[in-house]
PDB file of all heavy atoms in Angstrom:
ATOM      1  N   PRO A 132     108.405  13.563  -6.896  1.00  0.00           N
ATOM      2  CA  PRO A 132     107.350  12.776  -6.266  1.00  0.00           C
ATOM      3  C   PRO A 132     106.600  13.575  -5.211  1.00  0.00           C
ATOM      4  O   PRO A 132     106.803  13.403  -4.012  1.00  0.00           O
ATOM      5  CB  PRO A 132     108.120  11.598  -5.663  1.00  0.00           C
ATOM      6  CG  PRO A 132     109.479  12.132  -5.418  1.00  0.00           C
ATOM      7  CD  PRO A 132     109.745  13.199  -6.428  1.00  0.00           C
ATOM      8  N   LEU A 133     105.768  14.462  -5.697  1.00  0.00           N
ATOM      9  CA  LEU A 133     104.951  15.283  -4.812  1.00  0.00           C
ATOM     10  C   LEU A 133     103.713  15.728  -5.581  1.00  0.00           C
ATOM     11  O   LEU A 133     103.745  15.732  -6.820  1.00  0.00           O
ATOM     12  CB  LEU A 133     105.823  16.432  -4.305  1.00  0.00           C
ATOM     13  CG  LEU A 133     105.631  17.869  -4.511  1.00  0.00           C
ATOM     14  CD1 LEU A 133     105.692  18.506  -3.124  1.00  0.00           C
ATOM     15  CD2 LEU A 133     106.805  18.458  -5.292  1.00  0.00           C
ATOM     16  N   ILE A 134     102.668  16.013  -4.856  1.00  0.00           N
ATOM     17  CA  ILE A 134     101.397  16.387  -5.498  1.00  0.00           C
ATOM     18  C   ILE A 134     100.983  17.760  -4.962  1.00  0.00           C
ATOM     19  O   ILE A 134     100.891  17.933  -3.747  1.00  0.00           O
ATOM     20  CB  ILE A 134     100.316  15.321  -5.201  1.00  0.00           C
ATOM     21  CG1 ILE A 134     100.690  13.995  -5.892  1.00  0.00           C
ATOM     22  CG2 ILE A 134      98.934  15.782  -5.667  1.00  0.00           C
ATOM     23  CD1 ILE A 134      99.839  12.806  -5.473  1.00  0.00           C
ATOM     24  N   PHE A 135     100.774  18.716  -5.863  1.00  0.00           N
ATOM     25  CA  PHE A 135     100.309  20.042  -5.413  1.00  0.00           C
ATOM     26  C   PHE A 135      98.783  20.060  -5.255  1.00  0.00           C
ATOM     27  O   PHE A 135      98.248  20.782  -4.432  1.00  0.00           O
ATOM     28  CB  PHE A 135     100.710  21.127  -6.413  1.00  0.00           C
ATOM     29  CG  PHE A 135     102.156  21.572  -6.324  1.00  0.00           C
ATOM     30  CD1 PHE A 135     102.784  22.152  -7.419  1.00  0.00           C
ATOM     31  CD2 PHE A 135     102.883  21.447  -5.146  1.00  0.00           C
ATOM     32  CE1 PHE A 135     104.099  22.589  -7.340  1.00  0.00           C
ATOM     33  CE2 PHE A 135     104.202  21.878  -5.059  1.00  0.00           C
ATOM     34  CZ  PHE A 135     104.805  22.453  -6.166  1.00  0.00           C
ATOM     35  N   GLY A 136      98.112  19.306  -6.123  1.00  0.00           N
ATOM     36  CA  GLY A 136      96.650  19.291  -6.058  1.00  0.00           C
ATOM     37  C   GLY A 136      95.988  20.543  -6.607  1.00  0.00           C
ATOM     38  O   GLY A 136      94.773  20.727  -6.497  1.00  0.00           O
ATOM     39  N   ARG A 137      96.786  21.419  -7.178  1.00  0.00           N
ATOM     40  CA  ARG A 137      96.289  22.667  -7.783  1.00  0.00           C
ATOM     41  C   ARG A 137      97.439  23.273  -8.568  1.00  0.00           C
ATOM     42  O   ARG A 137      98.567  22.772  -8.472  1.00  0.00           O
ATOM     43  CB  ARG A 137      95.824  23.648  -6.709  1.00  0.00           C
ATOM     44  CG  ARG A 137      96.975  24.127  -5.843  1.00  0.00           C
ATOM     45  CD  ARG A 137      96.492  24.744  -4.545  1.00  0.00           C
ATOM     46  NE  ARG A 137      97.637  24.977  -3.656  1.00  0.00           N
ATOM     47  CZ  ARG A 137      98.096  26.181  -3.346  1.00  0.00           C
ATOM     48  NH1 ARG A 137      97.537  27.256  -3.818  1.00  0.00           N
ATOM     49  NH2 ARG A 137      99.131  26.308  -2.542  1.00  0.00           N
ATOM     50  N   GLY A 138      97.181  24.334  -9.309  1.00  0.00           N
ATOM     51  CA  GLY A 138      98.280  25.067  -9.928  1.00  0.00           C
ATOM     52  C   GLY A 138      98.324  24.995 -11.435  1.00  0.00           C
ATOM     53  O   GLY A 138      97.352  24.670 -12.104  1.00  0.00           O
ATOM     54  N   LEU A 139      99.522  25.291 -11.953  1.00  0.00           N
ATOM     55  CA  LEU A 139      99.706  25.439 -13.410  1.00  0.00           C
ATOM     56  C   LEU A 139     100.168  24.125 -14.022  1.00  0.00           C
ATOM     57  O   LEU A 139     101.155  23.546 -13.570  1.00  0.00           O
ATOM     58  CB  LEU A 139     100.823  26.452 -13.681  1.00  0.00           C
ATOM     59  CG  LEU A 139     100.480  27.918 -13.839  1.00  0.00           C
ATOM     60  CD1 LEU A 139     100.020  28.479 -12.510  1.00  0.00           C
ATOM     61  CD2 LEU A 139     101.688  28.675 -14.345  1.00  0.00           C
ATOM     62  N   ASN A 140      99.462  23.690 -15.051  1.00  0.00           N
ATOM     63  CA  ASN A 140      99.925  22.528 -15.821  1.00  0.00           C
ATOM     64  C   ASN A 140     101.151  22.900 -16.627  1.00  0.00           C
ATOM     65  O   ASN A 140     101.414  24.082 -16.874  1.00  0.00           O
ATOM     66  CB  ASN A 140      98.840  22.069 -16.792  1.00  0.00           C
ATOM     67  CG  ASN A 140      97.620  21.556 -16.078  1.00  0.00           C
ATOM     68  OD1 ASN A 140      97.736  20.896 -15.051  1.00  0.00           O
ATOM     69  ND2 ASN A 140      96.461  21.876 -16.602  1.00  0.00           N
ATOM     70  N   LEU A 141     101.866  21.872 -17.081  1.00  0.00           N
ATOM     71  CA  LEU A 141     103.014  22.113 -17.960  1.00  0.00           C
ATOM     72  C   LEU A 141     102.576  22.918 -19.189  1.00  0.00           C
ATOM     73  O   LEU A 141     103.248  23.868 -19.588  1.00  0.00           O
ATOM     74  CB  LEU A 141     103.603  20.755 -18.394  1.00  0.00           C
ATOM     75  CG  LEU A 141     104.753  20.785 -19.382  1.00  0.00           C
ATOM     76  CD1 LEU A 141     106.009  21.375 -18.745  1.00  0.00           C
ATOM     77  CD2 LEU A 141     105.056  19.369 -19.896  1.00  0.00           C
ATOM     78  N   LEU A 142     101.448  22.524 -19.761  1.00  0.00           N
ATOM     79  CA  LEU A 142     100.956  23.189 -20.973  1.00  0.00           C
ATOM     80  C   LEU A 142      99.603  23.824 -20.702  1.00  0.00           C
ATOM     81  O   LEU A 142      98.832  23.317 -19.886  1.00  0.00           O
ATOM     82  CB  LEU A 142     100.838  22.175 -22.112  1.00  0.00           C
ATOM     83  CG  LEU A 142     102.157  21.560 -22.562  1.00  0.00           C
ATOM     84  CD1 LEU A 142     101.914  20.388 -23.495  1.00  0.00           C
ATOM     85  CD2 LEU A 142     103.055  22.594 -23.233  1.00  0.00           C
ATOM     86  N   GLU A 143      99.325  24.919 -21.408  1.00  0.00           N
ATOM     87  CA  GLU A 143      98.026  25.569 -21.285  1.00  0.00           C
ATOM     88  C   GLU A 143      96.938  24.634 -21.811  1.00  0.00           C
ATOM     89  O   GLU A 143      97.183  23.863 -22.737  1.00  0.00           O
ATOM     90  CB  GLU A 143      97.999  26.850 -22.129  1.00  0.00           C
ATOM     91  CG  GLU A 143      98.774  27.980 -21.530  1.00  0.00           C
ATOM     92  CD  GLU A 143      98.749  29.203 -22.430  1.00  0.00           C
ATOM     93  OE1 GLU A 143      99.328  29.124 -23.525  1.00  0.00           O
ATOM     94  OE2 GLU A 143      98.155  30.210 -22.041  1.00  0.00           O
ATOM     95  N   ILE A 144      95.749  24.754 -21.223  1.00  0.00           N
ATOM     96  CA  ILE A 144      94.620  23.955 -21.718  1.00  0.00           C
ATOM     97  C   ILE A 144      94.052  24.703 -22.916  1.00  0.00           C
ATOM     98  O   ILE A 144      93.241  25.616 -22.768  1.00  0.00           O
ATOM     99  CB  ILE A 144      93.544  23.776 -20.637  1.00  0.00           C
ATOM    100  CG1 ILE A 144      94.205  23.324 -19.357  1.00  0.00           C
ATOM    101  CG2 ILE A 144      92.406  22.863 -21.132  1.00  0.00           C
ATOM    102  CD1 ILE A 144      93.979  21.980 -18.854  1.00  0.00           C
ATOM    103  N   LYS A 145      94.531  24.382 -24.065  1.00  0.00           N
ATOM    104  CA  LYS A 145      93.992  24.931 -25.300  1.00  0.00           C
ATOM    105  C   LYS A 145      94.389  23.970 -26.400  1.00  0.00           C
ATOM    106  O   LYS A 145      95.162  23.041 -26.162  1.00  0.00           O
ATOM    107  CB  LYS A 145      94.504  26.341 -25.572  1.00  0.00           C
ATOM    108  CG  LYS A 145      96.000  26.457 -25.787  1.00  0.00           C
ATOM    109  CD  LYS A 145      96.330  27.884 -26.147  1.00  0.00           C
ATOM    110  CE  LYS A 145      97.756  28.049 -26.574  1.00  0.00           C
ATOM    111  NZ  LYS A 145      98.085  29.377 -27.019  1.00  0.00           N
ATOM    112  N   LYS A 146      93.880  24.213 -27.578  1.00  0.00           N
ATOM    113  CA  LYS A 146      94.148  23.258 -28.641  1.00  0.00           C
ATOM    114  C   LYS A 146      95.594  23.406 -29.119  1.00  0.00           C
ATOM    115  O   LYS A 146      95.966  24.438 -29.677  1.00  0.00           O
ATOM    116  CB  LYS A 146      93.161  23.485 -29.789  1.00  0.00           C
ATOM    117  CG  LYS A 146      92.940  22.230 -30.571  1.00  0.00           C
ATOM    118  CD  LYS A 146      91.768  22.365 -31.519  1.00  0.00           C
ATOM    119  CE  LYS A 146      91.790  21.158 -32.436  1.00  0.00           C
ATOM    120  NZ  LYS A 146      91.217  21.458 -33.721  1.00  0.00           N
ATOM    121  N   LEU A 147      96.369  22.395 -28.863  1.00  0.00           N
ATOM    122  CA  LEU A 147      97.766  22.386 -29.319  1.00  0.00           C
ATOM    123  C   LEU A 147      97.917  21.273 -30.349  1.00  0.00           C
ATOM    124  O   LEU A 147      97.149  20.310 -30.332  1.00  0.00           O
ATOM    125  CB  LEU A 147      98.707  22.144 -28.133  1.00  0.00           C
ATOM    126  CG  LEU A 147      98.810  23.294 -27.132  1.00  0.00           C
ATOM    127  CD1 LEU A 147      99.520  22.861 -25.864  1.00  0.00           C
ATOM    128  CD2 LEU A 147      99.519  24.493 -27.739  1.00  0.00           C
TER     129      LEU A 147
END
Side-chain angles (χ1 to χ4, degrees):
L133 118 128
I134 293 170
F135 281 157
R137 66 197 170 110
L139 269 69
N140 295 322
L141 176 68
L142 296 169
E143 285 178 293
I144 311 249
K145 63 176 188 176
K146 207 168 170 209
L147 290 168

